Amino acid sequence: TENEELQPGIRKVLVVREILESNNVRCLLLEPSNNPEEIRQLTGRDMNLVAVDWFGFDYAASKTGYRDFMLGVTESISGCLQ
């Protein structure tokens, strides 16, 4: 949901499940703060769930920091799609 403090209603959960099913989604990219077990329960599907550090908080500011960050994002997405 837009507000992380609120839980989605059953109607919203059913709509999301239908979208995932009809599009044969097998990979979801999560923010590190998302709880994978809660997401699994909400989706009702067995799929790859991968946390991605979209803001690069886990990477030090260095000469290769941006490259390392982009490589990390790329590897996360690639791993999720495997």
Side-chain angles (χ1 to χ4, degrees):
T1 65
E2 292 81 28
N3 183 344
E4 292 182 11
E5 306 248 338
L6 299 175
Q7 294 295 318
I10 189 67
R11 185 173 295 151
K12 180 83 164 186
V13 170
L14 293 175
V15 167
V16 169
R17 284 183 177 186
E18 175 60 32
I19 291 169
L20 295 173
E21 181 70 31
S22 64
N23 291 289
N24 196 27
V25 175
R26 57 189 175 101
C27 167
L28 280 181
L29 302 174
L30 310 176
E31 293 181 356
S33 63
N34 293 127
N35 181 332
E37 287 308 311
E38 287 179 3
I39 300 297
R40 282 190 212 296
Q41 289 176 347
L42 289 173
T43 62
R45 293 176 53 96
D46 184 31
M47 63 176 63
N48 293 334
L49 302 176
V50 175
V52 178
D53 178 17
W54 296 110
F55 296 109
F57 292 130
D58 292 338
Y59 297 91
S62 68
K63 186 175 176 180
T64 62
Y66 183 73
R67 182 190 64 83
D68 296 342
F69 162 67
M70 293 304 293
L71 184 60
V73 170
T74 303
E75 288 173 348
S76 294
I77 294 170
S78 177
C80 192
L81 295 172
Q82 297 291 321

